C-alpha cells in the first residue's frame, strides 16, 4: 500500500469514528481530505456525501455523490 493510500485509509477510519460519536463537522473535514488525496476513492466520496447530508448541506452532498 502506498503512503498516500495509508494516509487516506487512516483519515477515513478516523472520520468514520467521528461520525459514530456525532462529530459530523470534524468527520466532513477528514472525508474531504480523503478525496483530496485520492479523487477516485468511491467510499470516501460516498461517506462525504452522507456526512454532508446529515449536517444539512444537501446541495454539497449531491455534488459529492
Amino acid at each position: 500500500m502506498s503512503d498516500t493510500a495509508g494516509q487516506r485509509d487512516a483519515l477515513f477510519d478516523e472520520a468514520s469514528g467521528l461520525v459514530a460519536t456525532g462529530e459530523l463537522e470534524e468527520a466532513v473535514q477528514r472525508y474531504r481530505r480523503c478525496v483530496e488525496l485520492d479523487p477516485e476513492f468511491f467510499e470516501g466520496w460516498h461517506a462525504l456525501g452522507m456526512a454532508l447530508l446529515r449536517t444539512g448541506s444537501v446541495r454539497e452532498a449531491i455534488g459529492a455523490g
Side-chain angles (χ1 to χ4, degrees):
M1 178 182 309
S2 73
D3 186 45
T4 300
Q7 284 181 306
R8 178 202 68 197
D9 292 348
L11 284 165
F12 185 84
D13 290 344
E14 190 177 327
S16 297
L18 289 166
V19 169
T21 60
E23 299 173 74
L24 298 174
E25 294 296 334
E26 292 85 357
V28 165
Q29 292 173 5
R30 283 162 182 82
Y31 286 135
R32 285 186 202 283
R33 185 71 182 122
C34 285
V35 298
E36 286 173 4
L37 288 170
D38 182 358
E40 301 296 317
F41 185 43
F42 173 81
E43 291 86 357
W45 283 109
H46 182 269
L48 174 59
M50 296 305 291
L52 285 166
L53 189 60
R54 290 181 63 187
T55 65
S57 300
V58 177
R59 282 186 181 267
E60 197 172 357
I62 291 168

Short mmCIF file of all heavy atoms in Angstrom, two decimals:
data_model
loop_
_atom_site.label_atom_id
_atom_site.label_comp_id
_atom_site.label_asym_id
_atom_site.label_seq_id
_atom_site.Cartn_x
_atom_site.Cartn_y
_atom_site.Cartn_z
N MET A 1 0.85 -1.18 0.00
CA MET A 1 0.00 0.00 0.00
C MET A 1 0.89 1.24 0.00
O MET A 1 1.85 1.32 0.76
CB MET A 1 -0.90 -0.04 1.24
CG MET A 1 -1.78 1.16 1.36
SD MET A 1 -2.83 1.22 2.85
CE MET A 1 -3.61 -0.35 2.85
N SER A 2 0.56 2.19 -0.82
CA SER A 2 1.35 3.42 -0.88
C SER A 2 1.11 4.27 0.36
O SER A 2 0.13 4.08 1.08
CB SER A 2 0.98 4.22 -2.14
OG SER A 2 -0.29 4.81 -1.99
N ASP A 3 2.02 5.21 0.59
CA ASP A 3 1.89 6.11 1.73
C ASP A 3 0.60 6.92 1.64
O ASP A 3 -0.08 7.12 2.64
CB ASP A 3 3.11 7.02 1.81
CG ASP A 3 3.11 7.87 3.06
OD1 ASP A 3 2.83 7.32 4.15
OD2 ASP A 3 3.40 9.08 2.96
N THR A 4 0.27 7.35 0.43
CA THR A 4 -0.96 8.13 0.23
C THR A 4 -2.19 7.30 0.57
O THR A 4 -3.10 7.78 1.24
CB THR A 4 -1.05 8.64 -1.23
OG1 THR A 4 0.09 9.47 -1.49
CG2 THR A 4 -2.32 9.45 -1.45
N ALA A 5 -2.22 6.06 0.12
CA ALA A 5 -3.35 5.18 0.42
C ALA A 5 -3.44 4.93 1.92
O ALA A 5 -4.54 4.88 2.48
CB ALA A 5 -3.23 3.87 -0.34
N GLY A 6 -2.31 4.80 2.58
CA GLY A 6 -2.31 4.61 4.02
C GLY A 6 -2.86 5.81 4.75
O GLY A 6 -3.65 5.67 5.69
N GLN A 7 -2.45 7.00 4.31
CA GLN A 7 -2.98 8.24 4.89
C GLN A 7 -4.47 8.34 4.67
O GLN A 7 -5.23 8.69 5.57
CB GLN A 7 -2.31 9.47 4.26
CG GLN A 7 -0.93 9.75 4.72
CD GLN A 7 -0.40 11.01 4.03
OE1 GLN A 7 -0.42 11.11 2.80
NE2 GLN A 7 0.03 11.96 4.82
N ARG A 8 -4.88 8.05 3.44
CA ARG A 8 -6.30 8.10 3.08
C ARG A 8 -7.10 7.17 3.97
O ARG A 8 -8.13 7.56 4.53
CB ARG A 8 -6.46 7.71 1.61
CG ARG A 8 -7.89 7.67 1.13
CD ARG A 8 -8.04 6.79 -0.08
NE ARG A 8 -7.81 5.39 0.28
CZ ARG A 8 -7.55 4.44 -0.60
NH1 ARG A 8 -7.45 4.71 -1.88
NH2 ARG A 8 -7.39 3.20 -0.20
N ASP A 9 -6.64 5.95 4.12
CA ASP A 9 -7.37 4.97 4.91
C ASP A 9 -7.42 5.35 6.39
O ASP A 9 -8.45 5.16 7.05
CB ASP A 9 -6.76 3.58 4.74
CG ASP A 9 -6.97 3.02 3.33
OD1 ASP A 9 -7.78 3.59 2.57
OD2 ASP A 9 -6.31 2.01 3.01
N ALA A 10 -6.33 5.91 6.90
CA ALA A 10 -6.31 6.34 8.30
C ALA A 10 -7.30 7.48 8.52
O ALA A 10 -8.04 7.49 9.52
CB ALA A 10 -4.90 6.76 8.70
N LEU A 11 -7.32 8.44 7.60
CA LEU A 11 -8.29 9.54 7.69
C LEU A 11 -9.72 9.04 7.59
O LEU A 11 -10.60 9.51 8.32
CB LEU A 11 -8.03 10.57 6.59
CG LEU A 11 -6.84 11.48 6.79
CD1 LEU A 11 -6.49 12.19 5.48
CD2 LEU A 11 -7.13 12.49 7.88
N PHE A 12 -9.94 8.09 6.70
CA PHE A 12 -11.28 7.53 6.52
C PHE A 12 -11.75 6.86 7.81
O PHE A 12 -12.88 7.07 8.26
CB PHE A 12 -11.29 6.53 5.36
CG PHE A 12 -12.65 6.00 5.04
CD1 PHE A 12 -13.51 6.71 4.22
CD2 PHE A 12 -13.09 4.79 5.57
CE1 PHE A 12 -14.78 6.22 3.92
CE2 PHE A 12 -14.34 4.30 5.29
CZ PHE A 12 -15.19 5.02 4.46
N ASP A 13 -10.88 6.07 8.42
CA ASP A 13 -11.23 5.38 9.66
C ASP A 13 -11.51 6.39 10.78
O ASP A 13 -12.45 6.24 11.55
CB ASP A 13 -10.13 4.42 10.09
CG ASP A 13 -10.01 3.22 9.17
OD1 ASP A 13 -10.96 2.95 8.39
OD2 ASP A 13 -8.97 2.53 9.23
N GLU A 14 -10.67 7.43 10.86
CA GLU A 14 -10.86 8.46 11.87
C GLU A 14 -12.19 9.18 11.65
O GLU A 14 -12.96 9.40 12.60
CB GLU A 14 -9.70 9.45 11.79
CG GLU A 14 -9.65 10.42 12.94
CD GLU A 14 -8.43 11.32 12.86
OE1 GLU A 14 -7.36 10.87 12.38
OE2 GLU A 14 -8.55 12.47 13.29
N ALA A 15 -12.48 9.52 10.40
CA ALA A 15 -13.74 10.21 10.08
C ALA A 15 -14.94 9.33 10.43
O ALA A 15 -15.93 9.83 10.99
CB ALA A 15 -13.76 10.59 8.60
N SER A 16 -14.85 8.06 10.14
CA SER A 16 -15.95 7.15 10.45
C SER A 16 -16.20 7.08 11.95
O SER A 16 -17.35 7.03 12.40
CB SER A 16 -15.66 5.76 9.87
OG SER A 16 -15.59 5.84 8.46
N GLY A 17 -15.14 7.09 12.73
CA GLY A 17 -15.28 7.12 14.19
C GLY A 17 -15.93 8.41 14.65
O GLY A 17 -16.76 8.39 15.58
N LEU A 18 -15.58 9.51 14.01
CA LEU A 18 -16.19 10.79 14.37
C LEU A 18 -17.69 10.81 14.04
O LEU A 18 -18.48 11.37 14.81
CB LEU A 18 -15.47 11.94 13.65
CG LEU A 18 -14.05 12.22 14.17
CD1 LEU A 18 -13.30 13.10 13.18
CD2 LEU A 18 -14.11 12.87 15.54
N VAL A 19 -18.06 10.20 12.93
CA VAL A 19 -19.49 10.10 12.60
C VAL A 19 -20.21 9.32 13.70
O VAL A 19 -21.29 9.71 14.15
CB VAL A 19 -19.71 9.44 11.22
CG1 VAL A 19 -21.17 9.08 11.01
CG2 VAL A 19 -19.23 10.36 10.11
N ALA A 20 -19.60 8.23 14.14
CA ALA A 20 -20.21 7.38 15.16
C ALA A 20 -20.43 8.12 16.47
O ALA A 20 -21.38 7.82 17.21
CB ALA A 20 -19.36 6.14 15.40
N THR A 21 -19.58 9.11 16.76
CA THR A 21 -19.73 9.88 18.00
C THR A 21 -20.47 11.19 17.79
O THR A 21 -20.57 12.00 18.71
CB THR A 21 -18.35 10.16 18.65
OG1 THR A 21 -17.55 10.92 17.74
CG2 THR A 21 -17.65 8.88 19.03
N GLY A 22 -20.98 11.40 16.57
CA GLY A 22 -21.79 12.58 16.29
C GLY A 22 -21.01 13.84 15.96
O GLY A 22 -21.59 14.92 15.89
N GLU A 23 -19.71 13.72 15.75
CA GLU A 23 -18.88 14.88 15.43
C GLU A 23 -18.79 15.04 13.92
O GLU A 23 -17.76 14.79 13.30
CB GLU A 23 -17.50 14.70 16.07
CG GLU A 23 -17.59 14.59 17.59
CD GLU A 23 -16.28 14.24 18.22
OE1 GLU A 23 -15.41 15.14 18.29
OE2 GLU A 23 -16.12 13.08 18.65
N LEU A 24 -19.90 15.45 13.34
CA LEU A 24 -20.05 15.44 11.89
C LEU A 24 -19.17 16.46 11.17
O LEU A 24 -18.62 16.15 10.10
CB LEU A 24 -21.51 15.63 11.51
CG LEU A 24 -22.45 14.53 12.00
CD1 LEU A 24 -23.89 14.89 11.71
CD2 LEU A 24 -22.09 13.21 11.36
N GLU A 25 -19.05 17.65 11.70
CA GLU A 25 -18.23 18.67 11.02
C GLU A 25 -16.78 18.21 10.93
O GLU A 25 -16.13 18.39 9.90
CB GLU A 25 -18.32 20.02 11.75
CG GLU A 25 -19.70 20.66 11.69
CD GLU A 25 -20.15 21.03 10.29
OE1 GLU A 25 -19.28 21.28 9.42
OE2 GLU A 25 -21.36 21.10 10.06
N GLU A 26 -16.28 17.62 12.01
CA GLU A 26 -14.91 17.12 12.00
C GLU A 26 -14.77 15.96 11.02
O GLU A 26 -13.76 15.84 10.32
CB GLU A 26 -14.49 16.68 13.41
CG GLU A 26 -14.37 17.83 14.39
CD GLU A 26 -15.69 18.22 15.04
OE1 GLU A 26 -16.74 17.64 14.70
OE2 GLU A 26 -15.68 19.12 15.89
N ALA A 27 -15.78 15.11 10.96
CA ALA A 27 -15.77 13.98 10.02
C ALA A 27 -15.74 14.49 8.58
O ALA A 27 -14.99 13.98 7.75
CB ALA A 27 -16.99 13.09 10.25
N VAL A 28 -16.53 15.50 8.28
CA VAL A 28 -16.58 16.07 6.93
C VAL A 28 -15.18 16.56 6.53
O VAL A 28 -14.73 16.31 5.40
CB VAL A 28 -17.62 17.20 6.84
CG1 VAL A 28 -17.43 18.03 5.58
CG2 VAL A 28 -19.04 16.63 6.89
N GLN A 29 -14.49 17.23 7.44
CA GLN A 29 -13.15 17.72 7.13
C GLN A 29 -12.21 16.57 6.75
O GLN A 29 -11.44 16.68 5.80
CB GLN A 29 -12.57 18.46 8.33
CG GLN A 29 -13.27 19.76 8.63
CD GLN A 29 -12.78 20.38 9.94
OE1 GLN A 29 -11.85 19.89 10.58
NE2 GLN A 29 -13.42 21.47 10.33
N ARG A 30 -12.30 15.48 7.49
CA ARG A 30 -11.41 14.35 7.21
C ARG A 30 -11.81 13.62 5.92
O ARG A 30 -10.94 13.21 5.16
CB ARG A 30 -11.38 13.42 8.40
CG ARG A 30 -10.50 14.00 9.51
CD ARG A 30 -10.75 13.37 10.84
NE ARG A 30 -9.95 13.95 11.89
CZ ARG A 30 -10.26 15.08 12.54
NH1 ARG A 30 -11.33 15.78 12.21
NH2 ARG A 30 -9.49 15.52 13.52
N TYR A 31 -13.11 13.47 5.69
CA TYR A 31 -13.54 12.86 4.43
C TYR A 31 -13.10 13.71 3.24
O TYR A 31 -12.71 13.18 2.20
CB TYR A 31 -15.05 12.67 4.40
CG TYR A 31 -15.58 11.55 5.25
CD1 TYR A 31 -16.70 11.73 6.06
CD2 TYR A 31 -14.97 10.30 5.26
CE1 TYR A 31 -17.20 10.71 6.83
CE2 TYR A 31 -15.47 9.26 6.04
CZ TYR A 31 -16.59 9.47 6.83
OH TYR A 31 -17.09 8.45 7.60
N ARG A 32 -13.17 15.03 3.38
CA ARG A 32 -12.70 15.91 2.31
C ARG A 32 -11.22 15.65 2.01
O ARG A 32 -10.81 15.60 0.85
CB ARG A 32 -12.87 17.38 2.68
CG ARG A 32 -14.26 17.90 2.62
CD ARG A 32 -14.22 19.41 2.89
NE ARG A 32 -15.47 19.93 3.35
CZ ARG A 32 -16.53 20.16 2.60
NH1 ARG A 32 -16.48 19.88 1.32
NH2 ARG A 32 -17.63 20.65 3.11
N ARG A 33 -10.44 15.51 3.06
CA ARG A 33 -9.01 15.26 2.89
C ARG A 33 -8.78 13.91 2.19
O ARG A 33 -7.89 13.79 1.36
CB ARG A 33 -8.31 15.31 4.25
CG ARG A 33 -6.83 15.17 4.16
CD ARG A 33 -6.18 16.41 3.55
NE ARG A 33 -4.75 16.17 3.47
CZ ARG A 33 -4.04 16.20 2.35
NH1 ARG A 33 -4.60 16.54 1.22
NH2 ARG A 33 -2.76 15.94 2.36
N CYS A 34 -9.62 12.92 2.53
CA CYS A 34 -9.51 11.60 1.87
C CYS A 34 -9.64 11.73 0.36
O CYS A 34 -8.84 11.16 -0.39
CB CYS A 34 -10.63 10.66 2.35
SG CYS A 34 -10.43 9.99 3.98
N VAL A 35 -10.67 12.45 -0.07
CA VAL A 35 -10.91 12.54 -1.51
C VAL A 35 -9.94 13.51 -2.19
O VAL A 35 -9.74 13.43 -3.40
CB VAL A 35 -12.39 12.86 -1.85
CG1 VAL A 35 -13.28 11.73 -1.35
CG2 VAL A 35 -12.82 14.19 -1.29
N GLU A 36 -9.33 14.42 -1.42
CA GLU A 36 -8.25 15.24 -1.98
C GLU A 36 -7.03 14.36 -2.26
O GLU A 36 -6.38 14.51 -3.29
CB GLU A 36 -7.86 16.36 -1.01
CG GLU A 36 -8.86 17.47 -0.91
CD GLU A 36 -8.51 18.47 0.19
OE1 GLU A 36 -7.44 18.33 0.83
OE2 GLU A 36 -9.33 19.37 0.43
N LEU A 37 -6.74 13.46 -1.33
CA LEU A 37 -5.60 12.56 -1.51
C LEU A 37 -5.83 11.57 -2.64
O LEU A 37 -4.90 11.20 -3.35
CB LEU A 37 -5.32 11.79 -0.21
CG LEU A 37 -4.72 12.58 0.94
CD1 LEU A 37 -4.73 11.76 2.22
CD2 LEU A 37 -3.30 13.00 0.59
N ASP A 38 -7.08 11.12 -2.78
CA ASP A 38 -7.41 10.11 -3.79
C ASP A 38 -8.78 10.41 -4.39
O ASP A 38 -9.80 9.94 -3.90
CB ASP A 38 -7.40 8.71 -3.16
CG ASP A 38 -7.67 7.61 -4.16
OD1 ASP A 38 -7.91 7.90 -5.36
OD2 ASP A 38 -7.66 6.44 -3.75
N PRO A 39 -8.81 11.22 -5.46
CA PRO A 39 -10.08 11.61 -6.06
C PRO A 39 -10.90 10.44 -6.61
O PRO A 39 -12.09 10.60 -6.88
CB PRO A 39 -9.67 12.54 -7.20
CG PRO A 39 -8.32 13.04 -6.82
CD PRO A 39 -7.68 11.90 -6.07
N GLU A 40 -10.30 9.27 -6.75
CA GLU A 40 -11.02 8.09 -7.25
C GLU A 40 -11.56 7.21 -6.11
O GLU A 40 -12.11 6.14 -6.37
CB GLU A 40 -10.07 7.25 -8.12
CG GLU A 40 -9.51 8.00 -9.32
CD GLU A 40 -10.59 8.40 -10.31
OE1 GLU A 40 -11.48 7.57 -10.61
OE2 GLU A 40 -10.55 9.55 -10.78
N PHE A 41 -11.45 7.66 -4.88
CA PHE A 41 -11.83 6.87 -3.70
C PHE A 41 -13.35 6.92 -3.51
O PHE A 41 -13.88 7.80 -2.82
CB PHE A 41 -11.08 7.39 -2.48
CG PHE A 41 -11.26 6.62 -1.22
CD1 PHE A 41 -11.25 5.24 -1.20
CD2 PHE A 41 -11.43 7.29 -0.02
CE1 PHE A 41 -11.41 4.53 -0.02
CE2 PHE A 41 -11.58 6.59 1.17
CZ PHE A 41 -11.57 5.22 1.16
N PHE A 42 -14.04 5.96 -4.09
CA PHE A 42 -15.50 5.93 -4.06
C PHE A 42 -16.05 5.97 -2.64
O PHE A 42 -16.99 6.73 -2.35
CB PHE A 42 -16.03 4.68 -4.78
CG PHE A 42 -17.52 4.52 -4.64
CD1 PHE A 42 -18.37 5.25 -5.46
CD2 PHE A 42 -18.06 3.69 -3.68
CE1 PHE A 42 -19.75 5.13 -5.31
CE2 PHE A 42 -19.42 3.56 -3.53
CZ PHE A 42 -20.27 4.28 -4.35
N GLU A 43 -15.50 5.15 -1.76
CA GLU A 43 -16.01 5.08 -0.39
C GLU A 43 -15.89 6.43 0.30
O GLU A 43 -16.76 6.81 1.09
CB GLU A 43 -15.27 4.01 0.42
CG GLU A 43 -15.57 2.60 -0.02
CD GLU A 43 -14.69 2.12 -1.17
OE1 GLU A 43 -13.86 2.90 -1.70
OE2 GLU A 43 -14.83 0.95 -1.56
N GLY A 44 -14.82 7.16 0.00
CA GLY A 44 -14.65 8.49 0.58
C GLY A 44 -15.70 9.47 0.10
O GLY A 44 -16.26 10.23 0.89
N TRP A 45 -15.97 9.45 -1.19
CA TRP A 45 -17.00 10.34 -1.74
C TRP A 45 -18.37 10.00 -1.17
O TRP A 45 -19.16 10.89 -0.82
CB TRP A 45 -17.04 10.26 -3.27
CG TRP A 45 -15.92 11.01 -3.91
CD1 TRP A 45 -14.85 10.47 -4.56
CD2 TRP A 45 -15.76 12.43 -3.97
NE1 TRP A 45 -14.03 11.47 -5.01
CE2 TRP A 45 -14.55 12.68 -4.67
CE3 TRP A 45 -16.50 13.50 -3.50
CZ2 TRP A 45 -14.09 13.98 -4.91
CZ3 TRP A 45 -16.03 14.80 -3.74
CH2 TRP A 45 -14.85 15.02 -4.44
N HIS A 46 -18.67 8.71 -1.08
CA HIS A 46 -19.95 8.28 -0.55
C HIS A 46 -20.11 8.72 0.90
O HIS A 46 -21.15 9.28 1.29
CB HIS A 46 -20.08 6.76 -0.67
CG HIS A 46 -21.39 6.25 -0.21
ND1 HIS A 46 -21.62 5.86 1.09
CD2 HIS A 46 -22.57 6.08 -0.85
CE1 HIS A 46 -22.87 5.48 1.23
NE2 HIS A 46 -23.46 5.60 0.06
N ALA A 47 -19.10 8.47 1.70
CA ALA A 47 -19.15 8.84 3.12
C ALA A 47 -19.22 10.36 3.28
O ALA A 47 -19.96 10.86 4.15
CB ALA A 47 -17.94 8.27 3.85
N LEU A 48 -18.49 11.09 2.45
CA LEU A 48 -18.54 12.56 2.50
C LEU A 48 -19.95 13.03 2.21
O LEU A 48 -20.50 13.87 2.93
CB LEU A 48 -17.55 13.17 1.51
CG LEU A 48 -17.61 14.69 1.35
CD1 LEU A 48 -17.36 15.40 2.67
CD2 LEU A 48 -16.61 15.14 0.27
N GLY A 49 -20.56 12.48 1.17
CA GLY A 49 -21.93 12.86 0.83
C GLY A 49 -22.91 12.57 1.95
O GLY A 49 -23.77 13.40 2.27
N MET A 50 -22.78 11.43 2.58
CA MET A 50 -23.69 11.07 3.67
C MET A 50 -23.48 11.99 4.88
O MET A 50 -24.45 12.43 5.51
CB MET A 50 -23.49 9.61 4.07
CG MET A 50 -23.85 8.62 2.96
SD MET A 50 -25.52 8.82 2.30
CE MET A 50 -26.48 8.29 3.70
N ALA A 51 -22.24 12.30 5.20
CA ALA A 51 -21.95 13.18 6.33
C ALA A 51 -22.47 14.59 6.04
O ALA A 51 -23.05 15.24 6.92
CB ALA A 51 -20.46 13.20 6.63
N LEU A 52 -22.27 15.07 4.82
CA LEU A 52 -22.78 16.38 4.45
C LEU A 52 -24.30 16.42 4.53
O LEU A 52 -24.88 17.41 5.00
CB LEU A 52 -22.32 16.75 3.03
CG LEU A 52 -20.86 17.15 2.90
CD1 LEU A 52 -20.44 17.14 1.43
CD2 LEU A 52 -20.60 18.50 3.53
N LEU A 53 -24.93 15.36 4.10
CA LEU A 53 -26.40 15.29 4.17
C LEU A 53 -26.86 15.40 5.62
O LEU A 53 -27.81 16.12 5.94
CB LEU A 53 -26.87 13.98 3.55
CG LEU A 53 -28.36 13.83 3.34
CD1 LEU A 53 -28.90 14.91 2.43
CD2 LEU A 53 -28.66 12.46 2.75
N ARG A 54 -26.16 14.72 6.51
CA ARG A 54 -26.53 14.74 7.93
C ARG A 54 -26.28 16.10 8.58
O ARG A 54 -26.89 16.41 9.59
CB ARG A 54 -25.78 13.64 8.69
CG ARG A 54 -26.31 12.26 8.29
CD ARG A 54 -25.64 11.14 9.01
NE ARG A 54 -25.88 11.21 10.44
CZ ARG A 54 -25.29 10.41 11.33
NH1 ARG A 54 -24.42 9.51 10.93
NH2 ARG A 54 -25.56 10.52 12.60
N THR A 55 -25.38 16.90 7.98
CA THR A 55 -25.16 18.25 8.52
C THR A 55 -26.13 19.26 7.90
O THR A 55 -26.10 20.44 8.26
CB THR A 55 -23.71 18.74 8.27
OG1 THR A 55 -23.50 18.87 6.87
CG2 THR A 55 -22.70 17.82 8.92
N GLY A 56 -26.94 18.83 6.94
CA GLY A 56 -27.90 19.72 6.30
C GLY A 56 -27.37 20.36 5.04
O GLY A 56 -28.05 21.21 4.45
N SER A 57 -26.19 19.99 4.61
CA SER A 57 -25.58 20.57 3.39
C SER A 57 -26.01 19.75 2.18
O SER A 57 -25.20 19.05 1.55
CB SER A 57 -24.06 20.59 3.53
OG SER A 57 -23.67 21.34 4.63
N VAL A 58 -27.28 19.84 1.86
CA VAL A 58 -27.87 18.96 0.84
C VAL A 58 -27.26 19.17 -0.54
O VAL A 58 -26.89 18.22 -1.22
CB VAL A 58 -29.40 19.13 0.80
CG1 VAL A 58 -30.02 18.29 -0.30
CG2 VAL A 58 -30.01 18.78 2.15
N ARG A 59 -27.13 20.40 -0.97
CA ARG A 59 -26.57 20.67 -2.30
C ARG A 59 -25.15 20.13 -2.42
O ARG A 59 -24.79 19.54 -3.42
CB ARG A 59 -26.57 22.17 -2.61
CG ARG A 59 -27.90 22.70 -3.00
CD ARG A 59 -27.73 24.17 -3.41
NE ARG A 59 -28.98 24.75 -3.79
CZ ARG A 59 -29.43 24.80 -5.03
NH1 ARG A 59 -28.72 24.29 -6.00
NH2 ARG A 59 -30.59 25.35 -5.29
N GLU A 60 -24.36 20.37 -1.39
CA GLU A 60 -22.98 19.90 -1.42
C GLU A 60 -22.93 18.37 -1.38
O GLU A 60 -22.09 17.75 -2.02
CB GLU A 60 -22.21 20.50 -0.25
CG GLU A 60 -20.73 20.43 -0.42
CD GLU A 60 -19.99 21.19 0.66
OE1 GLU A 60 -20.62 21.83 1.51
OE2 GLU A 60 -18.77 21.10 0.63
N ALA A 61 -23.85 17.78 -0.64
CA ALA A 61 -23.93 16.31 -0.56
C ALA A 61 -24.23 15.72 -1.94
O ALA A 61 -23.63 14.73 -2.34
CB ALA A 61 -24.99 15.88 0.45
N ILE A 62 -25.14 16.36 -2.66
CA ILE A 62 -25.48 15.89 -4.00
C ILE A 62 -24.26 16.00 -4.91
O ILE A 62 -23.98 15.10 -5.69
CB ILE A 62 -26.68 16.69 -4.57
CG1 ILE A 62 -27.94 16.33 -3.79
CG2 ILE A 62 -26.85 16.41 -6.06
CD1 ILE A 62 -29.12 17.23 -4.06
N GLY A 63 -23.50 17.08 -4.77
CA GLY A 63 -22.28 17.25 -5.56
C GLY A 63 -21.24 16.18 -5.26
O GLY A 63 -20.54 15.74 -6.16
N ALA A 64 -21.15 15.76 -4.02
CA ALA A 64 -20.19 14.71 -3.65
C ALA A 64 -20.60 13.37 -4.23
O ALA A 64 -19.76 12.53 -4.51
CB ALA A 64 -20.08 14.60 -2.13
N GLY A 65 -21.91 13.22 -4.42
CA GLY A 65 -22.41 11.95 -4.98
C GLY A 65 -22.12 11.85 -6.43
O GLY A 65 -21.94 10.81 -7.01
#
